[in-house]
Amino acid sequence: MIKDYNDLKWDAIQRMEEVERCLFWQGSLGRTELALRLRMSNPQTTAILKQYQQLNPGKIGLNNSSKRYEVNDSVKNLFYTPSLSDLDSHSDTFEIDSYAMSAPSRRTPMDVVRNVARTIYQNKSIDIFYHSHNEPNGKRRRITPHTFVTTTRRTHIRAWCHESKGFRDFIVGRISETGTQSEPGQTLMSDEAWHTLLILKLKPNPKLDSAQKKLIEMDFEVQEGVREIKVKQALLWYYFELYNLWPEHQIQDPKHQPVILGNIDIMAFLNKVPTKK
Amino acid sequence: MIKDYNDLKWDAIQRMEEVERCLFWQGSLGRTELALRLRMSNPQTTAILKQYQQLNPGKIGLNNSSKRYEVNDSVKNLFYTPSLSDLDSHSDTFEIDSYAMSAPSRRTPMDVVRNVARTIYQNKSIDIFYHSHNEPNGKRRRITPHTFVTTTRRTHIRAWCHESKGFRDFIVGRISETGTQSEPGQTLMSDEAWHTLLILKLKPNPKLDSAQKKLIEMDFEVQEGVREIKVKQALLWYYFELYNLWPEHQIQDPKHQPVILGNIDIMAFLNKVPTKK
DNA sequence: CAAAACAGTTAAATTTTTTAACTGTTAATG
DNA sequence: CATTAACAGTTAAAAAATTTAACTGTTTTG
């Protein structure tokens, strides 16, 4: 009768995930509440909760006083990995408000995303009309995309550019049109700057006093004065942009530049492969 | 036999959502593929696809040549709302790579998130140990949180602060401990700065040449020279931070400040209510 | 102390899903 | 150019999941 995690069918896994989702955000879950959420009858809901208890013993227990199942956070989740973006998409069903600041500079036209995604899925290339810094009015290009890259500022597409014969990043919001698909160029495998990992070292800005430094060390999880981050060479430029790391900006107010570059030599990699300058 | 959207049970809705998810990202979906994804038998999978066709006529059609169902993008989705964060959480099952840049300054300890979420859910207040700019070593406070706010830089909690007797923003990553819950203070309703909407006006940086301006206008969806954004007064500061809008920074390279403030008078609201300075 | 609000239970009826053995179509293969 | 492989689609009986309807038991509330 006790089933293994792997014996469950897809439907059952979805339900178990929903159970854990409720438990994580609410801390407790009533049977009637679950029956309403899953639109199921009471006997079946009871069965599901029993099944959950067998699969993940000790995670939940009925509190006779509140008449609700209460969660034991020291037992790990089996089905649900919590994240804030998940709260965003489910906050309407919980009574927990969640608000994402809208930022127009990051607009991501979903029809472009869709057509590029399908190009990746089919291992093809695609015609795009792209507005770059050098050609703001736009130019037709053919690219073989391999990965969507979400930086803190915008969404990019990492792709082989058939025009410039190299791997480049394309900002999704600057693609105004997508065209027909055709045979691919170079693929993920040969994107060296993508596969090269560098160590980026960050230090608190020395202009901060020691108490403020501690705060920054907390924010950045600094260990022994330096925070080391493994960074794809292809994305190095965006880390400079994010943390405002260019040495010529170090004159700035440390409020706008809480960390500075710990290994200047890494800047050599910024231009080595023409990623984006 | 033809069922209405509302007649479907929870399980069925989840499945339909999965069907639309596959269709959106892949553009096509095979019956055998769907059977594997849903871990269902072939006859049942056929039934589900038929049911989908009845619910959303014209959305999919079998291509006899590829022997796969192909999507008609001009017919709207009924169950699935696409987003890039959704691709992130499902990209392992599609052959579409997706990579999110890690940014240590945004760390969000999920145990803190969890305990605060449950406090909101239960309409209570909670003790936290908070490291602010003025008190980097941390101080115990009691807050009544009402909303999670995701800005482009980090996750905040909007809350009534029992110590300073006002609504404040707390950076999740700067909460080092959460304590016991108790009775709430002021709630969402009385947070004026949260409910006050302002119009923020953005213009392309005049130092840009006209071609570059066009590009920025595309990025920001500028209409007739100005982009207007409705902004909660409580979040105004973060827009200044995001777009680097402080007038004293206007000397900067327009690469780092693509847009400037269109309505200087709005700055009065930055300090009016002590949100964060 | 009675009522309300829950969780939990049972057994028969109903619905969904699987199993196993089929047909039909298209593209690729020798 | 016939054969095969790879798919979608079908059927009917068997099995499994779910609902319905009528219950019991416990704790808090008024």
Side-chain angles (χ1 to χ4, degrees):
Chain A
M1 193 91 300
I2 296 183
K3 287 193 177 177
D4 182 9
Y5 177 106
N6 299 302
D7 288 342
L8 293 180
K9 40 175 65 175
W10 190 87
D11 283 354
I13 291 174
Q14 299 305 113
R15 285 193 303 240
M16 293 302 170
E17 195 182 317
E18 184 71 9
V19 168
E20 287 191 343
R21 178 178 289 115
C22 296
L23 289 168
F24 181 85
W25 294 106
Q26 301 187 344
S28 67
L29 179 60
R31 188 198 62 175
T32 308
E33 183 202 342
L34 184 61
L36 280 170
R37 284 182 183 277
L38 301 184
R39 305 228 224 133
M40 291 206 125
S41 66
N42 282 346
Q44 190 60 15
T45 311
T46 301
I48 286 165
L49 284 164
K50 265 192 182 159
Q51 199 182 30
Y52 182 75
Q53 282 176 306
Q54 289 184 323
L55 288 163
N56 203 7
K59 180 72 178 177
I60 53 173
L62 184 64
N63 178 326
N64 277 322
S65 165
S66 66
K67 285 167 188 161
R68 290 171 70 82
Y69 284 89
E70 290 184 354
V71 75
N72 174 356
D73 291 315
S74 59
V75 175
K76 276 187 191 161
N77 276 6
L78 238 45
F79 302 92
Y80 175 62
T81 307
S83 73
L84 267 163
S85 68
D86 185 75
L87 175 62
D88 281 343
S89 41
H90 290 91
S91 67
D92 50 324
T93 71
F94 300 119
E95 317 247 286
I96 301 165
D97 282 326
S98 159
Y99 185 91
M101 174 179 168
S102 65
S105 59
R106 314 169 116 232
R107 88 196 172 88
T108 48
M110 286 309 284
D111 56 333
V112 171
V113 169
R114 184 230 291 153
N115 293 336
V116 172
R118 292 178 188 172
T119 307
I120 297 175
Y121 174 70
Q122 292 176 57
N123 297 311
K124 296 237 169 138
S125 66
I126 187 170
D127 277 344
I128 61 169
F129 198 77
Y130 191 71
H131 304 255
S132 70
H133 235 283
N134 295 330
E135 313 227 32
N137 291 321
K139 191 189 153 188
R140 186 206 147 276
R141 283 160 188 269
R142 194 149 68 88
I143 62 170
T144 301
H146 66 68
T147 307
F148 281 98
V149 182
T150 307
T151 69
T152 41
R153 299 221 163 186
R154 43 191 167 277
T155 302
H156 300 255
I157 292 155
R158 184 76 184 164
W160 171 262
C161 175
H162 292 244
E163 264 49 61
S164 57
K165 305 226 182 302
F167 285 98
R168 294 284 185 285
D169 286 356
F170 297 89
I171 297 172
V172 173
R174 289 186 178 174
I175 299 175
S176 60
E177 272 177 55
T178 53
T180 54
Q181 293 186 8
S182 42
E183 287 316 297
Q186 302 266 42
T187 58
L188 173 63
M189 293 305 164
S190 49
D191 188 349
E192 270 187 58
W194 182 253
H195 290 107
T196 305
L197 283 180
L198 304 171
I199 306 279
L200 176 65
K201 293 181 182 177
L202 300 178
K203 289 177 181 175
N205 193 320
K207 283 183 205 146
L208 294 166
D209 66 39
S210 70
Q212 291 169 326
K213 264 186 201 161
K214 264 195 187 162
L215 192 65
I216 298 304
E217 289 180 357
M218 182 183 181
D219 284 353
F220 287 80
E221 296 173 281
V222 174
Q223 308 280 338
E224 291 166 28
V226 184
R227 166 73 204 235
E228 303 196 344
I229 308 173
K230 273 190 195 159
V231 167
K232 283 179 183 290
Q233 186 185 337
L235 304 181
L236 183 57
W237 199 92
Y238 305 115
Y239 283 88
F240 273 72
E241 188 186 40
L242 172 63
Y243 298 129
N244 198 13
L245 293 179
W246 290 277
E248 64 266 30
H249 291 170
Q250 288 198 14
I251 344 110
Q252 280 211 4
D253 183 351
K255 240 186 193 170
H256 300 108
Q257 196 182 27
V259 286
I260 63 162
L261 191 57
N263 50 341
I264 311 278
D265 54 308
I266 205 175
M267 292 191 72
F269 292 97
L270 271 178
N271 306 315
K272 209 172 177 184
V273 172
T275 301
K276 191 191 151 137
K277 219 251 134 146
Chain B
M1 192 91 299
I2 297 181
K3 288 193 177 178
D4 182 8
Y5 177 106
N6 299 303
D7 289 342
L8 293 180
K9 39 176 65 175
W10 190 87
D11 284 352
I13 291 175
Q14 300 304 114
R15 285 194 302 241
M16 293 302 171
E17 194 182 318
E18 185 70 9
V19 168
E20 286 190 344
R21 178 179 288 115
C22 295
L23 289 168
F24 181 86
W25 294 106
Q26 302 187 343
S28 67
L29 178 60
R31 189 199 60 175
T32 308
E33 183 202 343
L34 183 61
L36 280 170
R37 282 182 184 278
L38 301 184
R39 305 229 224 130
M40 290 206 125
S41 65
N42 282 345
Q44 190 59 16
T45 310
T46 300
I48 285 166
L49 285 164
K50 265 192 181 158
Q51 198 183 29
Y52 182 75
Q53 282 177 306
Q54 289 184 322
L55 288 163
N56 203 5
K59 179 73 177 176
I60 55 173
L62 184 64
N63 178 325
N64 279 320
S65 166
S66 67
K67 287 168 187 160
R68 290 171 69 81
Y69 284 89
E70 290 184 354
V71 76
N72 174 357
D73 291 316
S74 58
V75 176
K76 276 187 193 161
N77 277 5
L78 239 44
F79 303 92
Y80 175 62
T81 307
S83 73
L84 268 163
S85 68
D86 185 75
L87 175 62
D88 282 342
S89 42
H90 290 90
S91 68
D92 51 324
T93 72
F94 301 118
E95 319 246 285
I96 301 164
D97 281 327
S98 159
Y99 184 90
M101 173 179 170
S102 66
S105 58
R106 313 170 117 233
R107 87 193 172 89
T108 48
M110 287 309 284
D111 56 334
V112 171
V113 169
R114 184 230 289 153
N115 292 336
V116 172
R118 293 178 187 173
T119 307
I120 296 176
Y121 174 69
Q122 291 175 59
N123 297 311
K124 295 238 170 139
S125 66
I126 187 171
D127 277 344
I128 61 170
F129 199 75
Y130 191 70
H131 303 256
S132 70
H133 234 284
N134 296 329
E135 313 226 34
N137 291 320
K139 190 187 152 189
R140 186 205 147 278
R141 282 160 189 269
R142 194 150 69 88
I143 62 169
T144 301
H146 67 68
T147 307
F148 281 98
V149 183
T150 306
T151 68
T152 41
R153 299 221 164 184
R154 44 194 168 278
T155 302
H156 300 255
I157 292 155
R158 184 76 184 164
W160 171 262
C161 176
H162 292 244
E163 262 50 62
S164 57
K165 305 226 182 302
F167 285 98
R168 294 284 186 284
D169 286 355
F170 298 89
I171 297 172
V172 173
R174 290 187 178 173
I175 299 175
S176 60
E177 272 177 56
T178 52
T180 54
Q181 293 187 7
S182 41
E183 288 315 296
Q186 302 266 43
T187 58
L188 173 64
M189 293 305 163
S190 49
D191 188 348
E192 271 188 58
W194 182 254
H195 290 107
T196 305
L197 282 179
L198 304 171
I199 306 279
L200 176 66
K201 295 182 182 176
L202 301 177
K203 289 177 180 173
N205 192 321
K207 283 183 205 145
L208 295 166
D209 67 40
S210 71
Q212 291 169 327
K213 264 185 200 161
K214 264 194 185 160
L215 192 65
I216 297 304
E217 289 180 355
M218 183 183 180
D219 284 352
F220 288 80
E221 297 173 279
V222 174
Q223 309 279 338
E224 291 167 26
V226 184
R227 167 72 204 234
E228 303 195 345
I229 308 173
K230 272 189 196 160
V231 167
K232 282 180 184 290
Q233 185 185 339
L235 305 181
L236 184 58
W237 199 92
Y238 304 115
Y239 284 87
F240 273 73
E241 187 186 42
L242 172 63
Y243 298 129
N244 198 12
L245 293 179
W246 291 277
E248 64 266 30
H249 291 171
Q250 287 198 15
I251 345 109
Q252 280 212 3
D253 184 350
K255 242 187 193 168
H256 299 108
Q257 195 182 26
V259 285
I260 62 162
L261 190 56
N263 50 342
I264 311 278
D265 53 309
I266 205 174
M267 292 191 72
F269 292 98
L270 272 179
N271 306 314
K272 210 173 176 184
V273 173
T275 300
K276 191 192 151 136
K277 219 248 130 147

